[in-house]
Amino acid sequence: LALVFFTRVFIPLERAALDIVGAFLLGYHNTMEGGNAVFTSPAEKDEAHIVGKRFDEFRDVLLVEGTYRDGAPVFSGESLVGFIIESGSRTSKVRAIISPGTRTPGVLERSGIPVELEGKGAGFLEMTLPRGSDVAVGDVVRSSDQMAVEGRLSMIGSIVRIDDKDSEPFLRILVR
């Protein structure tokens, strides 16, 4: 009974509430970050302004104006920000790649090594590579070929720390 209530009542109410909040914020041109943050989804070749943010211990979600295809990548300039997770009639939810548990494919720019990054929150992503891999602090991580924009790989971040413990076979690498 609780599952039926959640899926048939709560989720549609949440979508309706997000549409109302989105319409209110859009109507007053009230965007977060002073209206300066513009996100683009290359699949739609469109721009969207942030109209709300939700940051908690479980996930980082942005609310942007416009409706987009679920799963579409979202960029700020040349940087990958996240993916569309839900669309309403006027707004869409974007899950940030830094959100804990979010997995994002990428490639190290200098060495070409394919990697999978996992969001850790607080602006960080983490990846592991075998010890002895060609990697250094400052190396840039770009998106995988599946998310190339006009033939260019978008930036995900750069390596800020490499943990190399003799007792472990893998390097733990933080990206920001």
Side-chain angles (χ1 to χ4, degrees):
L1 184 62
L3 180 62
V4 171
F5 174 80
F6 183 76
T7 58
R8 305 258 174 159
V9 177
F10 182 73
I11 291 175
L13 285 175
E14 180 188 31
R15 279 190 179 168
L18 285 173
D19 286 343
I20 291 167
V21 168
F24 172 77
L25 292 173
L26 291 173
Y28 288 94
H29 304 290
N30 211 7
T31 59
M32 300 295 289
E33 307 295 332
N36 295 328
V38 177
F39 291 90
T40 57
S41 184
E44 284 81 10
K45 302 287 185 201
D46 208 356
E47 293 186 347
H49 294 272
I50 298 174
V51 294
K53 289 184 181 180
R54 174 185 167 187
F55 292 104
D56 61 25
E57 63 210 71
F58 301 110
R59 60 182 181 172
D60 301 328
V61 176
L62 307 170
L63 185 64
V64 296
E65 64 181 326
T67 57
Y68 301 95
R69 162 181 67 80
D70 284 359
V74 179
F75 300 87
S76 176
E78 290 189 19
S79 298
L80 178 64
V81 173
F83 299 93
I84 301 292
I85 57 170
E86 187 177 330
S87 290
S89 63
R90 295 184 181 148
T91 58
S92 297
K93 285 183 183 179
V94 177
R95 181 179 312 264
I97 62 172
I98 60 170
S99 183
T102 301
R103 296 191 180 277
T104 307
V107 63
L108 292 174
E109 183 177 62
R110 185 175 56 83
S111 62
I113 299 172
V115 296
E116 182 178 67
L117 298 117
E118 181 179 350
K120 291 297 179 185
F124 290 99
L125 298 126
E126 182 181 83
M127 63 182 174
T128 57
L129 288 174
R131 291 185 77 207
S133 296
D134 184 17
V135 63
V137 171
D139 281 357
V140 172
V141 181
R142 297 213 173 259
S143 64
S144 66
D145 291 340
Q146 299 104 328
M147 291 177 277
V149 180
E150 298 172 0
R152 293 188 350 240
L153 301 179
S154 61
M155 182 165 175
I156 292 177
S158 61
I159 295 174
V160 294
R161 189 173 82 202
I162 300 172
D163 292 336
D164 184 6
K165 295 182 181 176
D166 289 336
S167 61
E168 296 184 16
F170 293 97
L171 301 171
R172 184 174 161 259
I173 301 165
L174 282 180
V175 174
R176 183 165 205 155

